[in-house]
Amino acid sequence: MNTDYNKKVNLAIEACQNIDKNLSILSADTDKVKSYVYSSTKLPEMRGASVILDELNQDKIKQIFLKDYNLIEECLLFNKGGSVLAIVPTSMVFNIKSEIRKLYPQETHGLATITVVAEQIELSQLKSDFKAIVKRLSNKLKRAKEEKKAFPVYEVTPYARRCGSCGIRPANYKIKTGQDDTYLCKSCKTKRDKGGSGKTRFFDDFLCFLKSDLINYERILHKCKKLNQNIAIISDTDNPQDLSDISGEDRYIGVIYADGNEIGTKIEELKTPEAFVEFSEKLYDITEKSVFSALAKYISPKNTDDGRIILPYEIISIGGDDVFIILPANIALQVTNQLCKNLRERAKKSGMPQIENITFSVGVTIAKSNFPIYYIYDLVNQLLKNAKKKAKENQNEFKTAIDFMVFKSQGGEISNINDYREQILTDHKERGSLNQEFTLTFRPYFMDEFDKLINLVKKMNEEDFPKSKLYAIRESIEHGKENSMLQYLYMMVKSPEKERKLLQYVLPSTLLEDNRCSVPWIKGKEVPSKYVEYKTPIVDILEIYDFIREEP
């Protein structure tokens, strides 16, 4: 165990016992973060909501401990990502709980709350039975959240104007934006004030990271100067002001939502507060640096329609183990792939057994920048749940898994992704006593399979592989397994050598595990004399074909 973590815990215990010999453990967790952040449809409001919650969690709670109650920073064992765990004197615990509970509604006009629980403990328990303490507090938090009353509802009278951002609450302010007037409620106005000016903590931390990544720092700065010679340093760039700023020429954005697998279970297995502090700090550091490293590799500055120079991305949140990023669609899948690799590599080098084998689940949505953000969030959340289910496919070994989907239509025709895939991408056929199921997607993917898919599509783009041939295979699939196999083999014979190599060697052997007898299909699950499954990744390849293009 690192002596720094021992020192931190001992300092916290000593500071509390100087006030009261009785100790308590306090645990808190922010409620319904996503509904607060994504209730507004505009980027400055989303950014502002993220900044407000970040300031509440890291600055305002710290202020309660340090200034209001004269405790020391070490008493806060962890206070990032919307969660808090702290050692406090028992005589102060009631007041500190009350202060933290009041803080969130005050700063967010009643729209964000936090659940706080505490338990008095013996010093011997803290050192010998910390695992049981954390488990009890976790259960208390869950019960307290379930018992909470609903969020406040703001009635909009018939003559009131609705907020132009969230469309839910009555407008209280008129804001001049260019030639037009925008009407905002109190909450959205506060969010916009926070998110519309200055850089976020994530932006500043990303710049600090970039300075250690000299190659990418110089690359980004060089491109900034090509766009505008007056830019001397990267921080001279502006903030994206809307999702359309982040999107590329095709007006598509990508949204990445990643979350660690079984992190709560791993936390409950930690036996000492020192182990908890080390685990929490290392996991947050690994997650943050993995995100920054993946972004640094692929992000490039751009001109907005109104002439500003921006870095086209927005980190909405980085918690201890969860990430939410908005970025251009043409790099979203590559950043996802790199992020997963970074997380695995950094976790293995953590030096802590509980972290070394941590895996993540990731959902990625690609959609038009004018899609409602709450709709995008709902879809990417469904994809994340699919990835989590895939990650736990083998109960003895969790793996990193990714699910993705590209939405090209403007409407909300797809509300349930699994139902859509069952109806559109799955076909059931009966042949005598044998049922056959044909699935036109491999999704969700395990990490190594996803890496192969990305590299395959990247190679196809580099070699200018005709998209029409992929469509021909896709169309032949509609006419049955044998027809698609004949179409594939015919294409193999008629194609030039470059294309043939991609079809013959990259598709069957690299992605489909050398199962040539059924190409472009691979045999999946099979129950003898009853059921057999065949899968093909053709739809997956076609769906992302236009979004894996490297810059020259």
Side-chain angles (χ1 to χ4, degrees):
M1 180 68 64
N2 191 312
T3 53
D4 289 341
Y5 301 115
N6 277 315
K7 185 179 178 182
K8 179 173 181 175
V9 172
N10 290 331
L11 282 170
I13 293 170
E14 185 181 343
C16 290
Q17 288 192 322
N18 286 338
I19 299 168
D20 184 351
K21 292 297 179 185
N22 296 317
L23 298 176
S24 290
I25 292 283
L26 179 146
S27 179
D29 189 62
T30 313
D31 304 316
K32 299 184 178 180
V33 173
K34 301 301 185 292
S35 65
Y36 176 65
V37 175
Y38 305 115
S39 64
S40 302
T41 58
K42 305 296 182 185
L43 186 57
E45 280 91 298
M46 284 188 283
R47 182 191 298 130
S50 176
V51 169
I52 289 168
L53 292 178
D54 188 54
E55 287 180 352
L56 283 168
N57 187 233
Q58 295 202 45
D59 300 332
K60 300 289 179 69
I61 287 180
K62 190 181 291 185
Q63 183 177 314
I64 289 173
F65 275 75
L66 273 58
K67 293 187 177 179
D68 298 351
Y69 290 90
N70 295 317
L71 296 171
I72 61 174
E73 192 172 340
E74 284 76 9
C75 290
L76 283 163
L77 300 181
F78 183 76
N79 67 314
K80 290 179 180 176
S83 298
V84 179
L85 191 76
I87 300 174
V88 295
T90 299
S91 59
M92 291 182 173
V93 73
F94 178 80
N95 290 335
I96 292 175
K97 280 170 63 178
S98 299
E99 290 293 325
I100 293 174
R101 281 178 182 147
K102 286 189 293 184
L103 185 62
Y104 278 68
Q106 285 172 354
E107 297 288 328
T108 64
H109 304 285
L111 294 176
T113 59
I114 188 168
T115 302
V116 192
V117 297
E119 180 178 311
Q120 185 174 339
I121 56 163
E122 298 293 333
L123 181 58
S124 58
Q125 281 183 293
L126 185 64
K127 293 291 187 179
S128 64
D129 204 19
F130 184 76
K131 176 179 172 180
I133 293 169
V134 170
K135 193 162 187 175
R136 287 198 300 272
L137 285 170
S138 176
N139 290 332
K140 277 187 178 181
L141 266 178
K142 287 176 185 174
R143 284 201 305 272
K145 281 178 178 286
E146 288 168 0
E147 291 167 2
K148 271 202 166 182
K149 294 179 181 178
F151 275 58
V153 176
Y154 290 84
E155 184 180 357
V156 183
T157 62
Y159 299 101
R161 186 190 295 268
R162 287 186 183 272
C163 173
S165 180
C166 66
I168 300 170
R169 294 172 289 275
N172 302 91
Y173 300 92
K174 181 170 77 170
I175 310 294
K176 199 76 175 174
T177 52
Q179 301 290 326
D180 304 317
D181 292 330
T182 302
Y183 295 86
L184 299 176
C185 65
K186 286 182 181 178
S187 177
C188 290
K189 171 71 163 53
T190 304
K191 292 177 187 178
R192 179 170 291 198
D193 290 344
K194 279 287 185 183
S197 59
K199 305 296 194 299
T200 67
R201 193 193 304 262
F202 294 128
F203 184 89
D204 294 334
D205 291 347
F206 179 52
L207 280 188
C208 288
F209 176 86
L210 267 180
K211 288 172 184 174
S212 66
D213 185 356
L214 195 58
I215 293 174
N216 282 313
Y217 183 89
E218 293 294 338
R219 174 184 66 81
I220 294 170
L221 182 59
H222 176 69
K223 290 188 175 184
C224 285
K225 288 181 176 179
K226 282 183 74 175
L227 295 171
N228 187 337
Q229 291 184 346
N230 294 324
I231 290 180
I233 53 177
I234 294 176
S235 58
D236 288 341
T237 57
D238 202 356
N239 277 337
Q241 291 304 305
D242 210 337
L243 295 178
S244 59
D245 284 354
I246 293 176
S247 65
E249 293 179 2
D250 55 8
R251 296 300 177 188
Y252 279 89
I253 58 167
V255 175
I256 301 171
Y257 188 11
D259 190 54
N261 296 322
E262 299 295 305
I263 301 299
T265 303
K266 289 182 178 292
I267 288 173
E268 289 176 1
E269 291 172 355
L270 300 170
K271 295 179 180 178
T272 65
E274 291 86 354
F276 175 85
V277 175
E278 182 180 8
F279 178 90
S280 302
E281 291 186 0
K282 283 189 173 181
L283 181 58
Y284 185 89
D285 186 63
I286 286 166
T287 305
E288 185 179 62
K289 286 182 177 173
S290 295
V291 170
F292 291 163
S293 179
L295 275 175
K297 183 173 180 179
Y298 288 100
I299 204 73
S300 288
K302 62 168 278 192
N303 269 318
T304 62
D305 293 340
D306 56 3
R308 292 174 295 114
I309 310 298
I310 65 165
L311 292 184
Y313 77 93
E314 190 69 39
I315 298 173
I316 300 296
S317 68
I318 298 178
D321 66 315
D322 71 301
V323 176
F324 199 95
I325 316 171
I326 305 172
L327 66 176
N330 66 330
I331 63 169
L333 294 164
Q334 296 97 310
V335 168
T336 300
N337 193 32
Q338 190 61 47
L339 172 60
C340 292
K341 291 179 182 178
N342 292 346
L343 288 165
R344 180 168 66 180
E345 290 167 9
R346 291 178 184 274
K348 283 182 178 177
K349 295 176 183 176
S350 66
M352 193 173 187
Q354 293 91 340
I355 292 179
E356 287 172 359
N357 296 319
I358 274 180
T359 60
F360 282 74
S361 298
V362 190
V364 188
T365 295
I366 291 175
K368 286 283 189 181
S369 60
N370 59 0
F371 259 47
I373 191 65
Y374 52 80
Y375 179 51
I376 293 177
Y377 170 70
D378 178 62
L379 294 170
V380 78
N381 193 40
Q382 289 183 51
L383 293 168
L384 176 66
K385 288 177 181 177
N386 288 344
K388 280 194 171 290
K389 189 175 179 181
K390 179 75 172 180
K392 299 172 186 178
E393 197 171 72
N394 181 354
Q395 290 293 325
N396 298 321
E397 181 188 9
F398 293 110
K399 294 183 178 181
T400 293
I402 302 102
D403 197 4
F404 61 88
M405 196 159 183
V406 178
F407 297 88
K408 293 188 175 180
S409 64
Q410 290 297 314
E413 294 88 353
I414 302 173
S415 58
N416 187 299
I417 290 171
N418 290 336
D419 286 350
Y420 168 80
R421 288 176 177 170
E422 178 66 26
Q423 292 168 15
I424 305 300
L425 301 182
T426 307
D427 188 20
H428 302 273
K429 294 185 184 298
E430 291 186 18
R431 182 168 291 179
S433 60
L434 185 66
N435 290 323
Q436 293 182 323
E437 180 179 281
F438 296 95
T439 306
L440 309 187
T441 179
F442 270 22
R443 289 170 280 183
Y445 283 79
F446 285 127
M447 176 179 159
D448 293 335
E449 297 169 342
F450 184 72
D451 182 48
K452 291 173 184 175
L453 176 72
I454 297 299
N455 289 328
L456 165 60
V457 179
K458 180 182 169 185
K459 187 74 174 173
M460 284 181 159
N461 273 295
E462 287 172 354
E463 300 290 346
D464 288 326
F465 187 90
K467 200 174 176 183
S468 58
K469 293 194 174 181
L470 293 174
Y471 275 118
I473 297 173
R474 169 70 178 90
E475 189 177 345
S476 69
I477 284 170
E478 300 290 341
H479 302 289
K481 178 187 169 190
E482 289 75 13
N483 189 294
S484 59
M485 289 171 62
L486 286 172
Q487 174 69 33
Y488 181 86
L489 295 171
Y490 173 78
M491 201 173 287
M492 285 284 296
V493 174
K494 299 293 287 184
S495 295
E497 186 179 357
K498 273 186 178 181
E499 295 172 15
R500 190 162 60 247
K501 282 183 177 179
L502 280 170
L503 285 168
Q504 182 178 0
Y505 298 110
V506 183
L507 185 60
S509 60
T510 304
L511 195 63
L512 301 186
E513 301 176 359
D514 203 17
N515 192 2
R516 289 182 176 81
C517 61
S518 299
V519 290
W521 300 92
I522 180 173
K523 188 181 284 188
K525 294 177 288 185
E526 183 176 3
V527 179
S529 303
K530 289 186 178 181
Y531 174 85
V532 63
E533 176 190 51
Y534 291 95
K535 290 185 174 184
T536 178
I538 291 297
V539 170
D540 299 348
I541 294 167
L542 273 168
E543 198 165 299
I544 65 174
Y545 190 88
D546 295 327
F547 299 100
I548 311 285
R549 293 189 181 275
E550 295 285 324
E551 283 192 6

